[in-house]
Amino acid sequence: METKQTKRKAGRWMWMTSLSLIICHLSFSTTGALAQRTVQNLDFGWRFHAGDVAEGFSPQLDDSGWRTVDVPHDFQIEQPWVAPAADEKADNNDPAANIKSRLSSRAFKEMGKGWYRLHLTPADSLRGRRLLLDFGGIMYTGDVYVNGQLAGGTDYGYVGFEIDVTDRLKFGQDNVVAVMADTRDPGNSRWYTGGGLYRDVKLVATDKDVFFARHPLYITTRDNRYVTVAVEVTSRGRDKKMPVALRITGPDGKLVYEGRHTVNRSTPTRTVEQQLPEVEIADPQLWDTEHPNLYTVEATLYNEKGQSVDCVKEHFGLRTVEIGPAFGLKLNGKKVLLQGYANHHSLGALGAAAYPRAIEKRILLMKQWGMNHIRTSHNPYSRAFIELCDKHGILVVDELYDKWTRQHTGGRVGFEALWQKDVPEWVKRDRNSPSVIAWSLGNELQQDPNMPYNDFGVTMYRLMRPLVARYDSTRLVTVAMHPRYRNWQTDSLPCELAKITDFQAYNYRYMYFPGDGRRFPWMTFYQSEASISAMGQNFFEMDLDKVMGLAYWGAIDYLGESQGWPAKGWAQGVFDISLEPKPKAYYMRSFFRPDEPVVHIGVIERKGDQMWNGIQTGNDGMSDHWNRVDGQRLSLVTYTNADEVELVLNGKSLGRKQNPTADPKQRNQIRWNDIAYEKGWLEAIARQNGKVTARHRIETTGEAVALTAEPDNSQWQADGMDLQHVRVVAVDSRGRRVQTTDQEVDFAVEGPARIVGVINGDINSDEMTVGSKRRLYNGSCTVILRSTHQPGQVTLTATSKDIRKKAKAVMQTK
């Protein structure tokens, strides 16, 4: 789809946007075809103003001086860091005397509003059609105006919505769509939310009289062979019999079913939901984590005259999910252990802007390191995220809310005014995705006494659970609990809510699984958050044959939830915020990928003792370089899944040590103390049954003399949306990464792309994540480029005044 921009005489901007048609196969005889559903991307060319604007919705407002931005866009990430004032210091019980702030949870960014305006001239081909504005979300709350009139909005920006603008848009002239986004107050979220139009915006056009409703398909499967499609159709005219043609294509794109059925409207209601006859799939190809085979349903709707009027497509997978106390989780009849993580939705340097490519980069990285699971804590992620999990075989626990209070769900309206709208939208959007294996309605409710009905969520759950089942009866529902009892003082029994959820999701409290299982044998356990500080122990001490698995909290460092200035966010992950692995990532890999030989050296730099939510979350600060001070005495750990490790310094053996596999607290970790540093190299050699299976060597490097640039996307698309992450590394004369260098790097771009983010792994840095420069940290940094709609050659140059040789990367957008 191309978007062309022309300037009006009055100094405003007019958009003439071509339309993308959902192409459907009209293989059945008809008396003609009316215009079908079209979806117009409105992500490009918005005008933006940071801060509130009096009558920002007015068509008469002169916005010619506003910035032009493209969606997704997070205006909060562009704001400066706000250091806490001296009177915001923590109390004296904080041993580190860290400075905290009312903004520490929100990444030390100030709260506020932002205005977006789009000038839109609808194509003449849309006359006489039903027109909808479709928003993937507005962070954190938002109002939408069309030509000066309030048309709709959201009170909880993680859930999408649509607005009927059929009677609001004017043809043959300029229309103004204005959006006010509000991050709300600091206390309205416990993490960095971002702000603005952070997900896609679309204009959808359908027939006015007969059309598919929003998220109209409900696809269910039976025995991994049979498929049933239910459709939701709206008829505003007199049509009583509305044929629907179904086509199902396999993972290879070949047709596996074609048929036609009639939807009957026999009641006064204008919207009809009807289940179509079951279809058998020959030679089914199942969806699983290693073979994520996806089928496609294409549904074409006809009016009573036999004219095709609407068409929708949806992917689905053939797979079964079983959850039970004897085995935990089965996928297609086979035991599967959830090995995953739970993070917030932000994407490092990009803030909350939901770029599909940035999401996919994280998914592929986590899969490479042995993960098969993500919990969407504590809100729905973008639809693109779910679709990418479908594509790559990731198992998702899809979560809707944090705590069920006004404070924690946007703060603009009471929670009681949200859930009846949010639950249907959330479930209907994601219910056909095979990656979604369970729903989670909330998180850590026991910590807040202000929830509705004063019973720690029991009544609220019993209200919401049937509404989930109304739209999806195929998945179980839970709530993540911490503590798993009613409060911090009562630890003998699980809370009442834990006794009524479909399976039991405990944050951190895996040690109660055995006892609770004996008392309540119907319970099935999932460690919905696991501490990285207790990594390994909280894995090996579970009965892996009976639990569902775990999600490591904050496996990737993220903005917000700082444990004290100058940290801008969470720093306890096994990957830093620029996605570089820390030494402890290899520990996780050693048991998440047990068949792959692993050994890795981690040199202990400092002891971690941070506490969070009553849990020790601090990790020992580690590095894996060998540039030290002569005579320094060091402690280090070798992470391995082999029988033993030998440590060799400059050719001299420092001894062999056995893997303490019988001790779940120490398994796959071998500690070495009082190692005297010598310039040269240190190597860990792993052996299994006496044979060398893996090696890891760290070397003393020379000074940094050159920069290198490593692009990550060989199929960079010229679609205006695709990203290229370019990792810049400082190397010595032998091409070895110099982790101890921290020089500033300047970036310059030539060609059809622009910089949208710069990042390194230092969560304490005061540098901005926008701009064209960034310091090296551990010898590297990353610059993120966004393509335009124009294909061509893009050249990135990275220079540092203190490093002799610059880096140049030449890339192509297609």
Side-chain angles (χ1 to χ4, degrees), residues 704 730 740-745 774-777 800 802-803:
T740 50
T741 192
D742 64 352
Q743 285 90 342
E744 186 174 84
V745 177
R774 188 77 188 198
R775 300 191 73 85
L776 298 165
Y777 179 75
S800 174
D802 299 316
I803 297 177

Side-chain angles (χ1 to χ4, degrees), residues 625-628 677 679-680 698-704 730-741:
H625 65 81
W626 201 238
N627 286 14
R628 307 287 169 176
Y677 171 73
K679 179 185 286 188
I698 56 178
E699 300 180 357
T700 306
T701 62
E703 67 176 11
V731 298
D732 68 3
S733 60
R734 294 171 56 186
R736 299 173 299 183
R737 178 182 174 188
V738 183
Q739 292 198 39
T740 50
T741 192

Side-chain angles (χ1 to χ4, degrees), residues 190 403 408 443-451 456 481-483 485-488 507-508 613-614:
R190 299 190 298 137
K403 304 176 194 303
H408 296 102
N443 175 67
E444 297 184 351
L445 310 180
Q446 291 80 3
Q447 295 183 25
D448 198 309
N450 299 313
M451 288 185 303
F456 294 93
M481 299 174 215
H482 182 62
Y485 34 91
R486 178 169 293 184
N487 54 52
W488 295 107
N507 292 353
Y508 311 108
N613 273 352

